[in-house]
Amino acid sequence: MADTFEKSCGYCGARFRVRLAHGPFADHLEEYACPECGKRYETGAAHAPQVELLEPRKDGKRDRYQDTLF
């Protein structure tokens, strides 16, 4: 079984489609990243999600997302 959803990046505003694969056993935590800035997100899936860019970033920048440890 597979699920597909669209997401807007909370950092740069890019839109992308995420495809998740679910197996016969329990899903586990998988990471995926915005294809424009690299901001990471998490979801439950059997395998690494596939990410397809739909609309480029909207913030006018070219930087990469930096995780902070606050």
Side-chain angles (χ1 to χ4, degrees):
M1 183 188 340
D3 288 326
T4 301
F5 63 90
E6 292 183 10
K7 182 165 184 70
S8 291
C9 179
Y11 180 71
C12 73
R15 290 197 44 80
F16 48 94
R17 181 175 295 128
V18 181
R19 290 188 185 101
L20 306 175
H22 301 285
F25 304 106
D27 289 345
H28 57 275
L29 197 60
E30 287 283 349
E31 288 189 353
Y32 63 96
C34 170
E36 289 286 274
C37 71
K39 179 173 173 57
R40 295 187 309 193
Y41 297 93
E42 296 178 338
T43 190
H47 305 287
Q50 295 178 331
V51 180
E52 174 188 2
L53 181 64
L54 299 175
E55 294 179 27
R57 66 190 301 165
K58 303 197 180 324
D59 62 0
K61 300 178 185 175
R62 294 176 184 227
D63 65 335
R64 303 291 291 170
Y65 179 78
Q66 296 289 320
D67 284 322
T68 57
L69 301 174
F70 297 113

